[in-house]
Amino acid sequence: MSDPLVEFEGVNKYFGETHVLKDIDLAVDAQEVVVVIGPSGSGKSTLLRCTNRLEEIQSGEIRLGGQSVIDADVNYIRQQIGMVFQSFNLFPHMTALENVAAGPEKVKGHSETKAKERAQSLLDRVGLSAQVDSYPAELSGGQQQRVAIARALAMDPEVMLFDEVTSALDPELVGEVLGVMGDLAEEGMTMLVVTHEMGFAREVGDRIVLMSDGKVVEQGEPESFFENPTTERGQRFLSRLL
Amino acid sequence: MAETRQRERREPAPEPFLNDRRLKYIGLTASVVFTLVVVGFLGLILYTQVNVDRFVNIIHPQFINAFFVVLQIVVISSVLSVIGGVLVGLGRISETLPTRGIAKGYIEFFRGTPLLFQLIVIYSGIPAFWPPGQFPIENFSIPAAIIGLTLNHSAYIGEAIRGGVEAVPDGQMEAARSLGMSYAQAMQEVVLPQAWRNALAAIGNDQVILVKDTSLLSVLAVPEIISTVQNINSATFDIWTPILWAAILYLAITIPLGKFVRYLEARADPAGGRDR
């Protein structure tokens, strides 16, 4: 049994007095797709944001490939962790191509030509060959989010974090983004996905993690989780979905 | 059915006296009257007060000289104050408390005291550290003017830059940092270009005020436009001829400057205002 790629060990996080993550233990294997679900305010997004240190944790340990994320150089560790946000956060003064090329060019020091060639192929991969020269304001939400995925992939991360990436989209645009994520999962990307899309969780997820009130209350394979949740909290959450 | 018919037959509400049509005529009449008064007044001045020969032949060279002195001061102070303003603005949003405090104090002082006071402090205050007559800079008036205008306007531009940065959503910094950019890189590549665009209108506004602030430099014995008006007035007892020159020269700087700022704003809008 190989070591997990991402590991949370006794992670605690407070916002002032509020205890938002309570002793989280969680392991994500390489190439595994872990889908985190749960009611809003349960700490799902905070867990993701702690992983790449957009939020600092108060105690516990987070490791990536056995190395402590907390002790590492923050700019270095973030290069290994791709993050996609609910609100896209594309850079509005750059074209789609420039958005995707910015990371490799500015952070990894790749030449502009090389970075843009790579960006072009990544945009092809997310189905946006025709939009390379468009600015974010000229793209639909679904297209913007696909550019954001390409931008994160451009850094060749070890793991991708998806923070409710379809929640800000019009319903008819959700499919195109989930499609790209499904392809990524199939290609073997390690993914930690926070979502309210239960269909996606069931179809693409290798493991479902249910969070509630800052704790992991249940986890398991999608089939067993959705068919026979073992905990009372899990049953309650699922019954409310139906 | 009956109800609908009744509603159709109902009388329209009586129109108020100030209906749209009347309002339009009132506006039109007011504009025409205003234009006639202004044109008449200007005509009266030109006809009775302005000496055309003096306007062209005698006064001309002094004003051209003043114009280029002002232009030189404006261009140098303008460039320096934008650089200074970016530094002050960055200090203002710094996460380091002393840096933020110093920037805040700087802004409070230079916005809270009159420019005239600051100019006097620099022009008369600084040479006072040397024994009389020993101050190394021979003609200090123009350097003092540039220093004063730069320090003063850096404070205003600093505030504009701070506002511009604060208007950039937090997600932009987060996205840039998530790619592995350092704080400085994220600022330079992502936040500041957007902040600059947000701040441009306010900065342009401030630069127009900087041009007009040169009128205060007469107290520093800078041969600028207002002192030229006063010199010519005391020599010839003619006031309207130099006033006309002064108006033309100030507008000759401020109007193109305003156009230039609008050009920069258009250029800084990446999608050219196109939006989905």
Side-chain angles (χ1 to χ4, degrees), chain B residues 76-129:
Chain B
I76 297 174
S77 318
S78 185
V79 171
L80 292 178
S81 64
V82 169
I83 296 170
V86 171
L87 294 177
V88 172
L90 287 178
R92 190 73 177 70
I93 53 163
S94 164
E95 286 169 16
T96 321
L97 187 63
T99 315
R100 204 165 60 231
I102 289 167
K104 177 103 172 102
Y106 179 93
I107 290 171
E108 293 292 356
F109 179 80
F110 282 99
R111 291 203 315 178
T113 59
L115 174 59
L116 186 55
F117 164 79
Q118 295 157 18
L119 289 170
I120 291 168
V121 167
I122 293 161
Y123 182 62
S124 309
I126 292 179
F129 286 106

Side-chain angles (χ1 to χ4, degrees), chain B residues 64-78:
Chain B
I64 293 305
N65 178 49
F67 177 76
F68 282 109
V69 168
V70 167
L71 196 62
Q72 172 202 348
I73 293 173
V74 163
V75 169
I76 297 174
S77 318
S78 185

